[in-house]
Amino acid sequence: MESSSLKLAQGFLKDAQKASKGSWFSKPEWDIAAQYFDKAATAFKAARHYEEAADCYVKASDAYVQINAVYLAAKCVENAATLADTHIKDHEMAVSHYSRASDLYRSQGAAADKAAEMMESAAKVCEDIDTNRTIQLYDSALSIYENEDRGRFGVETFKRTIRYLLDKGRLSEAVDIQMRLSAVCEHVNNRFELNKSNLSAIIILLAFGDSVEAGKKLEEFGQDVAFTRSKEAAAAERLVQAYSDGDQDEYVRIAGDQSVAFLDTTIARLAAKTRIPGARRLEPRASEKQVAHGGEHNAVGSDAPFINNAVDDDDDDDLL
């Protein structure tokens, strides 16, 4: 099967190259070349010659651009990116092709969501390789949703970006993205997500140790009458007050409320692990003492020292 597919691919490639070159008496036949490059890529893929397949997909994309078939061009280079990521394992190639696919989808005019999806795919490729580049790629995806007025379809991408930033300890940047999510939710009148996003922003600020800014944001959010009537607003106000009072017990109790527990899991766990500087140590409950004697530590009632931000260095890997 693989040998027959390879022979077929080579035949398609030869026809594609012939059509793309033209002659002294005729111009390149890009429509024919595009189809043959596309067929060659599919056949090479079936033969498990993935690098040749990716190369043919890129050439097919270029040929489709020549005849202004932009969507097909984007789809072909997206296929090349997928091969680079999953089979060739060339991350740089994958990111380059995903970025190109994003540009093509966006230029097509009616595929902004797909363009953002490509940038998110590029970001995922980089997650375990280059933190700064990953953040830049996620930001590009979010900007597409915002600039093309498609924010309502990017909520999950916003949340994924925030989770990644928290996992990497980039709390300040996480706050910025959370506030951008709040702005999107407000713009599309998504009250349910807006209330949760506002509370999440307060939790991240307190985890960052910035109770002053948390208080300012709470006051800003308070201008929205609908928010002030929500359970999330009540929880946010109580969290800020407990933090200002240095009352760790109260803070932990509020962090266990339903309004916090129903937030994104990462945010809820962040709230539970937040330590108020200078607050007294919590007395572990009986059940927690039993766990501690068994050699384990509870996320909140452990013997770990309190710090000025949400998570002790040793706990960073437990965020997600």
Side-chain angles (χ1 to χ4, degrees):
M1 176 64 182
E2 290 183 15
S3 60
S4 62
S5 295
L6 180 59
K7 186 175 181 179
L8 188 64
Q10 291 168 339
F12 285 141
L13 178 57
K14 185 176 180 180
D15 291 336
Q17 291 170 334
K18 181 179 178 180
S20 64
K21 289 180 180 178
S23 66
W24 287 102
F25 306 102
S26 62
K27 295 180 180 180
E29 298 177 290
W30 291 114
D31 55 339
I32 296 174
Q35 295 176 49
Y36 276 126
F37 276 128
D38 205 341
K39 290 179 179 180
T42 302
F44 274 126
K45 182 180 177 182
R48 299 186 181 181
H49 283 238
Y50 299 117
E51 291 186 10
E52 290 90 338
D55 183 60
C56 284
Y57 274 131
V58 171
K59 289 178 178 176
S61 176
D62 292 340
Y64 279 126
V65 168
Q66 291 291 332
I67 60 174
N68 203 31
V70 182
Y71 187 86
L72 292 176
K75 186 62 180 176
C76 281
V77 78
E78 178 188 351
N79 290 339
T82 302
L83 288 176
D85 181 24
T86 59
H87 293 291
I88 304 173
K89 303 298 182 183
D90 187 328
H91 300 125
E92 191 61 38
M93 181 192 296
V95 171
S96 176
H97 289 336
Y98 277 130
S99 298
R100 172 62 175 162
S102 178
D103 290 340
L104 288 169
Y105 279 125
R106 196 172 185 186
S107 68
Q108 198 265 340
D113 298 352
K114 193 68 175 177
E117 180 186 323
M118 292 299 96
M119 296 310 297
E120 182 175 3
S121 294
K124 291 176 182 177
V125 171
C126 293
E127 280 189 343
D128 298 324
I129 303 170
D130 187 334
T131 299
N132 289 332
R133 192 175 188 187
T134 298
I135 295 171
Q136 291 172 355
L137 291 167
Y138 271 128
D139 185 71
S140 295
L142 300 180
S143 294
I144 292 173
Y145 283 122
E146 292 170 319
N147 295 336
E148 299 293 336
D149 198 20
R150 303 289 289 177
R152 72 184 66 199
F153 302 103
V155 171
E156 290 306 315
T157 305
F158 273 95
K159 290 181 178 180
R160 183 181 179 89
T161 305
I162 293 165
R163 285 195 295 269
Y164 182 78
L165 289 167
L166 292 176
D167 182 45
K168 297 301 180 181
R170 308 282 280 262
L171 299 185
S172 178
E173 290 160 289
V175 171
D176 291 339
I177 300 299
Q178 191 71 63
M179 293 305 302
R180 285 167 65 182
L181 175 56
S182 289
V184 165
C185 293
E186 184 175 16
H187 178 67
V188 300
N189 198 28
N190 186 339
R191 173 58 53 186
F192 178 73
E193 288 292 345
L194 176 59
N195 291 344
K196 292 169 65 177
S197 184
N198 287 347
L199 174 56
S200 297
I202 296 297
I203 288 172
I204 299 172
L205 282 167
L206 293 176
F208 192 53
D210 195 344
S211 59
V212 174
E213 185 62 23
K216 290 180 180 179
K217 286 298 178 186
L218 183 60
E219 184 177 348
E220 178 184 323
F221 297 153
Q223 297 176 17
D224 178 357
V225 177
F227 175 69
T228 62
R229 296 171 179 169
S230 69
K231 294 180 181 179
E232 289 82 6
E237 185 174 357
R238 290 168 61 202
L239 285 171
V240 171
Q241 189 61 54
Y243 196 100
S244 299
D245 294 342
D247 192 339
Q248 187 71 47
D249 289 309
E250 178 64 10
Y251 195 96
V252 171
R253 277 193 290 272
I254 302 165
D257 282 357
Q258 219 176 45
S259 54
V260 176
F262 284 173
L263 299 176
D264 189 272
T265 302
T266 305
I267 301 294
R269 294 181 65 182
L270 187 66
K273 295 163 76 74
T274 296
R275 300 294 186 265
I276 302 175
R280 61 183 179 81
R281 291 179 180 272
L282 284 173
E283 284 295 328
R285 295 183 290 271
S287 59
E288 294 169 351
K289 289 180 179 180
Q290 291 175 0
V291 171
H293 287 316
E296 300 180 16
H297 296 279
N298 181 272
V300 176
S302 69
D303 291 331
F306 293 125
I307 56 174
N308 288 336
N309 52 24
V311 185
D312 203 346
D313 289 341
D314 293 334
D315 287 336
D316 281 347
D317 293 335
D318 293 331
L319 266 176
L320 292 181

